[in-house]
Amino acid sequence: MTTTQVVNPATEQVVTTLELVGADETDAAIERAQRAAVGWREIAPGDRARLLRRFAEAVDANLEQLAQLEVVNAGHTIGNARWEAGNVRDVLHFAAGIPERLLGNQIPVAGGVDITFHEPLGVVGVIVPWNFPMPIAAWGFGPALAAGNTVVLKPAELTPLTAVRLGELALQAGLPEGVFQVLPGKGSVVGQRFVTHPAVRKVVFTGSTEVGKEIMAGCARQVKRVTLELGGKSANIVFADADLERAAATAPYGVFDNAGQDCCARSRILVQRSVFDRFLELLEPAVRGVRVGDPADEATEMGPLISASHRARVASFIEPSTKVAFTGSQPDGPGFWYPPTVVLPDAPSDRLLTEEVFGPVVAVVAFEDEADAIRIANGTEYGLSGSIWTNDVGRALRVSRGVEAGNLSVNSHSSVRYWTPFGGFKQSGLGRELGPDAALAFTETKNVFIAT
Ligand code: NAD
């Protein structure tokens, strides 16, 4: 039996030791899920809805406990962690509305009746990264369960605790055995088995673009369905006509939230040249003002990075030649801390402008006009999110249509609502999660013609 030590990234203390699931246990779990799928798809829509509502209520009743677990396991600020647990509850409530609304079509045809059904796929494997362990898991399992599938879920090696608790809460809420199983284990073992086991009909993967490509290639061998939510290098575009004070005051939170370990982080700030210097003047106090520290403290705005090796990776982006404009603070003592850092790259090819840092580092560059802003924003293989700051409605819409990204916000940095679609363009992903069509990604459309 292999075990893993779960470490608190804010203190470097071991929180607990957890047993990891191996290949044989993964196969056994997948087979249990396959057997459970037969009964789960037959449950009356209203009963499946009720079970999902009970699951949501169990999450709500344990919200504080789940949030505290995320603070110690992932170093998330307590405010964020409460939002994340609440998001799981809300995704489940939204999913509970699905079974009774999974409507097909009746299509006019000659000589009979033609109707469509949205059939469940069977077993769905959900593979989750460490940066948002709770919400990302729920965006997969909520709609998948609602559409009549059973789910095997693999949390990231570093952050298994909330997922394990959610698995217990599902059982307590009355979900039948085998319908939702959480399998803490290695990507190369448990995750790979989701890809190769023929009974798993779909893999939902959130993580790095590199591993996502391998998953997609592996799934191709069985024409296995796949949803990919991958990396990002999103642009925060600030036009000269924007409310500069607000744009500068909010920019740090658009990138440093969750210590920048956010696929939607606006890690490039594009500022119109005529206001570039003024914007930097306004940005400096905002960055210095970000409260970095103990994530359990209600006032904290940014916690630590997830691990020592991740901090080393983030730090490796700052070379001796990198122009650092200014940095924010970080606490002394143990913990994988890294200060909010603002850099001014010289060349468009600088890796700080093209690669995902996944830490609290933001690159600021100037642009000339609208066309230039769109060109720079699109000059990356990623396309997940972004922000546009302007007081001109026409420009806001033109630039929104021009930027190749799945989730944009104008004069704000919001990306995620459980009832609006979420996902990436280009190498940021494939497919969409959340939103009104979330469940359709977990079904096959079946067409039936009945001769009259
Ligand atoms: P990762 O790709 O290393 O791992 C993600 C998950 O995949 C983990 O559970 C891991 O165990 C598993 N895994 C690793 N190798 C595997 C393999 N060969 N087969 C099957 N599973 C395997 O990513 P990470 O470092 O945990 O997360 C950070 C990345 O996730 C960033 O690039 C970030 O942008 C991305 N991300 C994307 C979104 C989005 O919605 N687009 C959201 C959050 C994070």
Side-chain angles (χ1 to χ4, degrees):
M1 177 68 69
T2 330
T3 59
T4 187
Q5 285 190 331
V6 177
V7 173
N8 180 333
T11 62
E12 304 184 32
Q13 300 289 311
V14 174
V15 178
T16 183
T17 301
L18 200 78
E19 284 180 3
L20 293 181
V21 168
D24 292 346
E25 291 158 290
T26 305
D27 280 6
I30 291 170
E31 280 141 33
R32 265 197 305 280
Q34 194 178 16
R35 286 193 297 277
V38 180
W40 183 241
R41 63 176 287 164
E42 295 303 329
I43 288 184
D47 292 336
R48 200 187 306 143
R50 198 170 303 110
L51 285 168
L52 290 171
R53 274 196 291 275
R54 279 195 198 137
F55 188 5
E57 283 153 16
V59 170
D60 195 44
N62 290 272
L63 190 143
E64 189 59 26
Q65 186 209 26
L66 286 163
Q68 296 291 349
L69 271 181
E70 212 65 286
V71 172
V72 296
N73 190 170
H76 287 199
T77 61
I78 181 64
N80 276 12
R82 286 186 185 127
W83 181 90
E84 290 157 22
N87 182 255
V88 177
R89 171 203 58 212
D90 295 343
V91 167
L92 281 167
H93 273 303
F94 189 73
I98 289 169
E100 293 148 314
R101 294 176 181 79
L102 208 50
L103 309 178
N105 285 324
Q106 177 267 310
I107 301 171
V109 288
V113 173
D114 193 283
I115 47 178
T116 63
F117 297 90
H118 297 296
E119 305 286 15
L121 303 171
V123 181
V124 171
V126 181
I127 303 175
V128 181
W130 47 258
N131 64 327
F132 287 110
M134 281 192 277
I136 289 172
W139 303 354
F141 70 69
L145 293 171
N149 304 279
T150 54
V151 171
V152 282
L153 181 135
K154 193 200 89 63
E157 288 88 329
L158 293 172
T159 55
L161 298 187
T162 47
V164 168
R165 184 70 189 125
L166 287 170
E168 293 166 0
L169 292 173
L171 285 176
Q172 271 176 33
L175 266 75
E177 291 277 346
V179 166
F180 175 53
Q181 300 173 83
V182 176
L183 311 175
K186 292 196 161 136
S188 55
V189 178
V190 181
Q192 261 309 300
R193 204 58 195 125
F194 291 0
V195 173
T196 56
H197 198 301
V200 177
R201 296 296 183 188
K202 170 158 189 163
V203 172
V204 179
F205 171 83
T206 305
S208 59
T209 298
E210 195 189 345
V211 175
K213 286 176 186 173
E214 276 176 45
I215 302 265
M216 190 176 177
C219 285
R221 291 193 193 103
Q222 294 170 14
V223 197
K224 190 171 289 197
R225 277 66 180 141
V226 65
T227 293
L228 301 174
E229 297 287 0
L230 310 175
K233 191 73 197 173
S234 298
N236 174 11
I237 309 173
V238 182
F239 285 95
D241 70 9
D243 178 342
L244 274 197
E245 277 74 16
R246 251 178 67 71
T250 59
Y253 303 95
V255 56
F256 301 142
D257 189 57
N258 206 31
Q261 304 165 119
D262 181 341
C263 51
C264 289
R266 277 70 167 167
S267 55
R268 295 181 297 156
I269 307 180
L270 282 43
V271 186
Q272 198 153 17
R273 193 174 299 281
S274 58
V275 293
F276 189 83
D277 292 343
R278 175 72 188 132
F279 182 83
L280 279 184
E281 270 169 33
L282 292 166
L283 185 63
E284 182 165 354
V287 169
R288 294 200 194 282
V290 175
R291 287 191 288 262
V292 183
D294 177 6
D297 182 338
E298 307 265 346
T300 295
E301 294 175 320
M302 191 183 117
L305 293 172
I306 191 69
S307 65
S309 68
H310 186 58
R311 179 174 59 185
R313 188 182 166 274
V314 169
S316 75
F317 277 87
I318 309 294
E319 289 166 22
S321 60
T322 305
K323 234 187 252 169
V324 176
F326 40 85
T327 60
S329 66
Q330 71 169 89
D332 298 326
F336 308 124
W337 304 99
Y338 200 85
T341 302
V342 178
V343 298
L344 304 172
D346 287 324
S349 59
D350 191 314
R351 57 197 285 250
L352 284 159
L353 285 173
T354 58
E355 292 178 30
E356 183 178 49
V357 178
F358 223 55
V361 179
V362 67
V364 191
V365 287
F367 69 84
E368 304 303 332
D369 55 16
E370 221 176 282
D372 197 33
I374 293 173
R375 183 187 60 75
I376 298 173
N378 291 341
T380 144
E381 273 310 307
Y382 292 117
L384 190 55
S385 73
S387 305
I388 298 148
W389 290 79
T390 173
N391 279 325
D392 177 336
V393 173
R395 166 174 289 154
L397 284 171
R398 283 192 303 275
V399 178
S400 296
R401 298 302 298 271
V403 173
E404 298 162 344
N407 314 275
L408 294 169
S409 48
V410 174
N411 297 330
S412 97
H413 297 299
S414 71
S415 295
V416 172
R417 290 176 188 79
Y418 59 84
W419 64 104
T420 60
F422 178 82
F425 278 37
K426 301 192 285 190
Q427 293 194 27
S428 279
L430 187 73
R432 290 293 177 273
E433 299 190 285
L434 305 175
D437 300 328
L440 296 184
F442 297 99
T443 63
E444 293 286 5
T445 300
K446 180 183 284 170
N447 193 67
V448 178
F449 170 74
I450 306 159
T452 52

